[in-house]
Each structure stands twice: as C-alpha cells, then as structure tokens.
Amino acid sequence: MNLHTTVTLVIVWLGVFTLHTAEGSVASQSMRRLSCINLSAEKVDIRRIISYEKQKVPVEAVMFVTTDGIKICVHPDQKWVQTAMKRIDRRRTSKRK
C-alpha cells in the first residue's frame, strides 16, 4: 500500500470509530439510575403511594414511590397494583383541573 491509501484508511477508520463511540452501541446505553431487578411480594398501603413508573426492561415491573420516598418494585399484573395505579392516575387528573 502506498502512503496515500494508508492515510485515507486510517482517517475513515477514525471517523467510523468516533461516530460509533459518540452514538454508543445498544450494550453501552446506560439504564435508568434506578430500575427494578427484584420484585416485592408484599402489598403496599395504597394511601402511602404518591407516584409510580412502569418499566419493561430488565424485568416487567411497576415501581411505586411512597410518601417516605421508598421505591418498591412489584409485578404489574397483581390486582392491587392495578387499583393503586388507577387511584394515582385519578389523583393526577383531579390536580390538573
């Protein structure tokens, strides 16, 4: 290879490397600061829950936040979880009016 071809290949390689690093690969994407890994089996007093967040990855879960700031992860298919989310949603819509 001559010098011109080598320099061109190095520049192209650096460009691809820089672009890939700037965008990041799927494996290097950071997860949320707090995400559910383990799910609690305990029922939480609905009156003490102030918000929730749904997640699909790494496990399907609902993260409830209590009035004390405690975050509790539970399975979203439980009846009490569905009831708690509906209650929080109603509270949110009533505050907006």
Side-chain angles (χ1 to χ4, degrees):
M1 268 202 254
N2 63 26
L3 183 60
H4 177 70
T5 306
T6 305
V7 170
T8 303
L9 287 173
V10 168
I11 291 172
V12 169
W13 181 81
L14 285 173
V16 170
F17 178 75
T18 303
L19 180 64
H20 180 72
T21 304
E23 290 181 0
S25 63
V26 173
S28 70
Q29 295 295 321
S30 62
M31 293 176 53
R32 282 182 250 162
R33 281 187 19 205
L34 296 171
S35 61
C36 299
I37 305 289
N38 298 317
L39 303 180
S40 173
E42 293 183 38
K43 185 175 177 180
V44 180
D45 183 0
I46 294 175
R47 294 171 294 181
R48 299 193 48 81
I49 299 172
I50 57 173
S51 67
Y52 73 91
E53 182 179 323
K54 295 180 185 179
Q55 85 171 29
K56 298 263 185 211
V57 177
V59 294
E60 187 172 359
V62 173
M63 180 190 296
F64 286 127
V65 180
T66 67
T67 53
D68 299 327
I70 298 170
K71 294 171 176 58
I72 301 166
C73 298
V74 294
H75 197 281
D77 292 338
Q78 297 179 52
K79 186 167 177 55
W80 76 267
V81 172
Q82 298 292 324
T83 303
M85 289 190 302
K86 287 177 186 174
R87 184 174 182 171
I88 292 166
D89 291 340
R90 278 195 308 267
R91 266 191 268 164
R92 286 178 183 165
T93 55
S94 66
K95 286 183 180 180
R96 290 182 189 159
K97 292 180 180 181

